[in-house]
């Protein structure tokens, strides 16, 4: 199994100390050096088109930003190699950004930028694009109008079929991630994946499955032939109050915590997950995604310590 570090460790969606410096190229230059120094030479890139409209081309999270700052996606990937990052292993598109206004706007934008993310993957040599299968429950409810949840999922299926055709054309594997706040949380994703005859793969995200109440080891066994990528995330959170339905499900109301912890700081038995993946014959990427600390250097080192001490290979 190949290790990969997610640059989602940099939270650009919520305010934090020194947030503005994260919108500058020098911040990302240094981050590449820190990840490489921590032993990570492969990364996940979250595809965030909102930065195309904010004038922040220093944030390398879209095809356009790479082209504006570096001239081309190929030049950007060469720059990464020169700074210790040998490959982009995975690209993640979360379409929640588009969950506003009306449904045609959502599906039109999600489909458009999904295809763009796949093109970005092809040009960067990345073989996996993973799509959050739906926005959070609360956001979906805001845009449904007269549409039912089942009709929304049927339209989602149609959109994913279109992205699958694009992915096959570009030689990219398309995966679906089901965060614990989506309409297809936990084991509900299985029946939805059945609609694609094994051509769309599962993004197995440990903490999101655990918080949704799914049995992670059973999910591995049930989906061993269609796991396209694995995300190691950690948590100590138990959703006892249907936090998944709230407007900010990653930040539970009334608690001084986030849902996620850094890797190894939560309660998940990731050793058992590693063994189950080996038993299932999984030989793809494990994307380490620490989503708690605003101290990015510490998150990198904590993750490296976890890998070394738990023999995740």
């Amino acid at each position: 199994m190949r290790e990969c570090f997610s640059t989602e460790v940099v939270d650009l969606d919520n305010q934090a100390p020194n947030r503005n410096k994260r919108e500058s190229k020098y911040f990302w230059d240094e981050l590449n050096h820190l990840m490489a120094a921590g032993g990570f030479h492969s990364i996940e890139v979250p595809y965030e088109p909102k930065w195309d409209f904010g004038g922040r081309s220093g944030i390398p999270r879209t095809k356009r930003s790479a082209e504006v700052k570096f001239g081309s996606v190929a030049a950007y990937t060469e720059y990464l190699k020169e700074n210790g990052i040998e490959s982009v292993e995975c690209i993640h598109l979360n379409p929640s950004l588009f969950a506003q206004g009306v449904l045609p706007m959502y599906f039109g934008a999600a489909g458009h930028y999904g295809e763009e993310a796949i093109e970005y993957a092809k040009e960067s040599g990345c073989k996996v694009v993973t799509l959050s299968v739906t926005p959070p429950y609360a956001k979906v409810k805001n845009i449904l109008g007269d549409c039912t949840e089942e009709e929304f999922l049927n339209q989602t299926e149609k959109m994913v079929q279109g992205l699958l055709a694009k992915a096959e054309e570009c030689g990219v594997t398309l995966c679906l991630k089901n965060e614990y706040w989506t309409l297809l949380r936990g084991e509900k994703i299985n029946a939805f994946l059945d609609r694609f005859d094994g051509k769309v793969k599962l993004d197995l995200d440990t903490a999101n499955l655990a918080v949704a109440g799914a049995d992670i080891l059973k999910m591995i066994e049930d989906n061993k032939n269609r796991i396209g990528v694995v995300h190691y995330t950690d948590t100590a959170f138990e959703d006892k109050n249907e936090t998944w339905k709230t407007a900010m499900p990653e930040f539970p109301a009334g608690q001084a915590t986030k849902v996620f912890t850094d890797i190894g700081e939560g309660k998940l038995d990731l050793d058992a997950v590693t063994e189950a993946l080996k038993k299932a014959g999984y030989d793809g990427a494990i994307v380490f995604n620490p989503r708690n600390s605003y101290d990015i250097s510490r998150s990198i080192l904590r993750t490296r310590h976890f890998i070394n001490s738990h023999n995740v290979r």
Side-chain angles (χ1 to χ4, degrees):
M1 293 183 287
R2 305 182 302 277
E3 64 182 47
C4 169
F5 192 81
S6 178
T7 59
E8 280 187 344
V9 69
V10 183
D11 184 358
L12 290 168
D13 295 322
N14 302 284
Q15 283 292 350
N18 299 316
R19 180 183 179 277
N20 288 346
K21 78 174 185 178
R22 303 177 184 191
E23 300 176 5
S24 301
K25 182 177 177 294
Y26 77 86
F27 172 84
W28 298 90
D29 291 343
E30 182 180 54
L31 177 62
N32 292 328
H33 298 156
L34 292 173
M35 290 186 295
F40 295 104
H41 302 285
S42 179
I43 61 172
E44 175 185 57
V45 175
Y47 203 82
E48 297 184 352
K50 66 182 177 182
W51 302 111
D52 285 359
F53 306 103
R56 307 294 187 180
S57 62
I59 301 174
R61 288 189 164 179
T62 65
K63 185 175 185 291
R64 177 181 178 275
S65 63
E67 291 170 344
V68 168
K69 189 60 65 174
F70 297 93
S72 67
V73 173
Y76 173 58
T77 54
E78 187 60 33
Y79 151 83
L80 288 175
K81 291 177 182 178
E82 292 171 356
N83 287 272
I85 305 301
E86 297 171 1
S87 64
V88 176
E89 184 74 42
C90 180
I91 292 171
H92 172 218
L93 175 65
N94 184 343
S96 299
L97 169 65
F98 316 121
Q100 50 189 310
V102 294
L103 282 182
M105 173 186 170
Y106 167 75
F107 285 110
H112 171 79
Y113 284 107
E115 290 196 1
E116 190 177 276
I118 292 168
E119 292 172 358
Y120 180 77
K122 178 183 178 181
E123 293 180 32
S124 64
C126 173
K127 295 300 183 182
V128 174
V129 170
T130 186
L131 174 74
S132 290
V133 65
T134 77
Y137 175 86
K139 286 195 171 186
V140 173
K141 284 294 186 182
N142 284 337
I143 62 172
L144 274 181
D146 295 329
C147 181
T148 65
E149 291 183 14
E150 186 59 35
E151 289 169 342
F152 181 86
L153 292 177
N154 289 338
Q155 291 187 53
T156 299
E157 177 190 356
K158 183 178 179 180
M159 178 188 71
V160 173
Q161 291 284 12
L163 295 179
L164 173 60
K166 180 70 173 181
E168 290 179 332
E169 174 189 325
C170 293
V172 172
T173 297
L174 180 64
C175 302
L176 296 181
K177 174 186 284 196
N178 61 327
E179 288 93 345
Y180 94 97
W181 47 72
T182 66
L183 296 185
L184 294 169
R185 58 199 306 268
E187 295 169 353
K188 290 181 178 180
I189 190 69
N190 291 342
F192 190 74
L193 282 169
D194 289 341
R195 302 185 186 193
F196 305 101
D197 300 322
K199 296 178 181 179
V200 176
K201 306 300 183 181
L202 172 66
D203 178 347
L204 188 120
D205 186 305
T206 54
N208 277 297
L209 287 173
V211 176
D215 183 330
I216 302 174
L217 304 186
K218 187 175 185 301
M219 284 290 291
I220 293 172
E221 176 62 26
D222 291 347
N223 293 282
K224 60 185 178 182
N225 294 321
R226 64 180 182 192
I227 298 175
V229 69
V230 174
H231 277 79
Y232 270 24
T233 48
D234 208 348
T235 186
F237 178 71
E238 296 180 23
D239 190 9
K240 298 179 180 179
N241 300 305
E242 293 194 321
T243 301
W244 72 280
K245 291 184 175 181
T246 64
M248 296 185 68
E250 193 169 345
F251 300 87
Q255 300 187 47
T257 184
K258 295 171 71 174
V259 166
F260 302 102
T261 67
D262 274 0
I263 310 296
E265 300 290 306
K267 295 182 178 180
L268 299 191
D269 186 355
L270 293 175
D271 289 339
V273 174
T274 301
E275 290 306 310
L277 288 169
K278 290 178 180 178
K279 182 179 178 182
Y282 178 73
D283 62 356
I286 294 181
V287 182
F288 292 89
N289 190 0
R291 297 180 58 169
N292 178 69
S293 176
Y294 289 117
D295 187 336
I296 294 168
S297 299
R298 178 174 288 181
S299 293
I300 292 171
L301 294 176
R302 280 176 171 169
T303 304
R304 175 52 57 194
H305 170 71
F306 175 84
I307 292 171
N308 290 346
S309 60
H310 291 258
N311 193 30
V312 184
R313 295 288 188 275

